Amino acid sequence: MRLFESISVLVMVLLLMAVGDSLASHPLKDMVVTGSDDRLWKMWALRDGDIIMVGEGHTDWVSGCCFHPSGTQLVTSSGDTTVQIWDLSKGGCVLTFKGHAQAVWDCSWHSCGDFVASASKDSTSKIWDVNSERCRYTMRGHKDSVSSIEFLPFSNTVLTSSADKTLSLWDARTGLRVCTFYGHLHSCNHATFSPESNMIASCDTCGVLKLWDVRQAVPMLSVDTGPRSANQVAFDHSGCAVAVASSDGTVKVVQPGLGQLHSLQGHGETEMQSVAFHCPAERLLSGAADGTVCLWTYGASASMFSMERTA
């Protein structure tokens, strides 16, 4: 079991504006994309914090972003009700999907690269065919805003979370709901699969984190990280730890196997919006409402994450 290593702190501060609303780690390179309220997405080099690329085209805030499995393209979602596909070699938008009636909160790319999924405030989620440039299915069933969406890797299963306090699994081949997870007492903000795809982590507006058995659709563990809202969750690559972005200004790291809960201080009291583990290196990214992104390193000897730098 990996524990967390406390190391010296290196802080690098750049003058940025609101870049912490959404995060996506590049699948192959030491880079990250951030989306924000300024209607832009930006690509950053994690090594030095330099801006590599800026995407301009949405007419409202950028709520979500996800890399194509090859890392050559990016999909973004926005409050302008659209989903956009970006070609990173060209540096521009090559396709815009329109069809949602209200803001789109999140987006996800299928492992094959031919389909993207979106989740909207209009209580629906959609499967988009990138090749035919059309909506394949509209998935209806949630009774309130759909907060997040994610494809199970190398499968046709889609996971959604909703303000109706439930999670759902859907069949992307038919657009039909397979099962629903009940247990949260408050609006769900986000849900994600574990690396081995046998568990789901979800969080809600009162700071409750739940871990679910995918096959049995029942909660295995419930952890109160509140009382402030838990906005996003992420598994580390071993599946042994879960990071939670909290509105109290901290990142909570839960290690279920050890019964441990760590609280990472790095953004002051600013609301935490997003968290993501960076695959090419053992690092955790956290984005805050004040426009900063913190980079945390971890290892195998002590008991805590440590901040490497902020951007």
Side-chain angles (χ1 to χ4, degrees):
M1 176 74 69
R2 178 186 292 119
L3 299 181
F4 302 119
E5 179 180 20
S6 180
I7 63 173
S8 60
V9 178
L10 170 64
V11 180
M12 180 171 62
V13 179
L14 302 179
L15 298 178
L16 311 175
M17 291 298 293
V19 299
D21 292 350
S22 58
L23 292 169
S25 173
H26 195 283
L28 302 173
K29 299 180 180 179
D30 209 17
M31 300 186 300
V32 64
V33 163
T34 60
S36 81
D37 290 344
D38 62 8
R39 308 177 183 181
L40 305 175
W41 60 263
K42 296 179 181 180
M43 183 181 294
W44 308 84
L46 288 179
R47 181 167 300 179
D48 50 24
D50 288 344
I51 296 177
I52 300 172
M53 189 180 301
V54 177
E56 183 175 359
H58 282 296
T59 58
D60 212 327
W61 78 91
V62 179
S63 55
C65 48
C66 182
F67 279 102
H68 185 281
S70 68
T72 58
Q73 292 182 308
L74 183 76
V75 60
T76 56
S77 57
S78 171
D80 65 12
T81 75
T82 70
V83 176
Q84 295 190 353
I85 306 293
W86 305 78
D87 187 313
L88 300 181
S89 64
K90 299 177 181 178
C93 177
V94 293
L95 181 59
T96 299
F97 290 121
K98 299 179 180 180
H100 282 295
Q102 298 185 58
V104 185
W105 291 124
D106 196 19
C107 55
S108 177
W109 213 308
H110 190 272
S111 302
C112 71
D114 294 330
F115 302 94
V116 297
S118 59
S120 173
K121 187 179 179 181
D122 66 13
S123 302
T124 72
S125 49
K126 292 180 181 290
I127 304 295
W128 306 91
D129 188 321
V130 177
N131 296 317
S132 66
E133 302 183 4
R134 65 182 181 89
C135 177
R136 178 64 66 91
Y137 297 109
T138 297
M139 299 182 292
R140 295 180 173 90
H142 282 299
K143 298 178 181 179
D144 208 332
S145 175
V146 186
S147 309
S148 70
I149 194 161
E150 181 175 301
F151 279 106
L152 177 66
F154 308 105
S155 81
N156 296 302
T157 301
V158 181
L159 169 66
T160 56
S161 66
S162 172
D164 67 10
K165 307 175 187 178
T166 69
L167 317 177
S168 289
L169 294 179
W170 308 77
D171 187 336
R173 296 168 297 183
T174 63
L176 299 177
R177 182 154 54 179
V178 177
C179 69
T180 300
F181 296 69
Y182 299 94
H184 279 285
L185 301 179
H186 306 278
S187 298
C188 295
N189 285 330
H190 189 248
T192 187
F193 289 107
S194 67
E196 294 184 353
S197 305
N198 61 334
M199 288 190 298
I200 291 171
S202 61
C203 61
D204 67 28
T205 54
C206 277
V208 174
L209 164 72
K210 287 185 180 292
L211 296 182
W212 308 78
D213 184 298
V214 173
R215 293 183 178 180
Q216 299 183 15
V218 294
M220 303 163 53
L221 178 68
S222 184
V223 180
D224 187 357
T225 70
R228 301 289 296 278
S229 176
N231 298 317
Q232 193 174 51
V233 290
F235 280 97
D236 82 331
H237 301 104
S238 69
C240 297
V242 182
V244 181
S246 175
S247 288
D248 68 6
T250 68
V251 178
K252 308 293 174 56
V253 180
V254 179
Q255 292 178 272
L258 298 178
Q260 294 184 353
L261 172 64
H262 304 295
S263 185
L264 312 182
Q265 304 281 345
H267 294 273
E269 298 181 356
T270 304
E271 180 177 352
M272 297 295 306
Q273 299 281 0
S274 52
V275 286
F277 282 92
H278 184 54
C279 187
E282 297 292 301
R283 285 179 284 185
L284 169 68
L285 293 152
S286 59
D290 65 357
T292 61
V293 175
C294 279
L295 186 63
W296 308 84
T297 59
Y298 61 102
S301 64
S303 62
M304 188 69 75
F305 274 94
S306 180
M307 184 171 65
E308 180 178 323
R309 65 171 181 264
T310 63

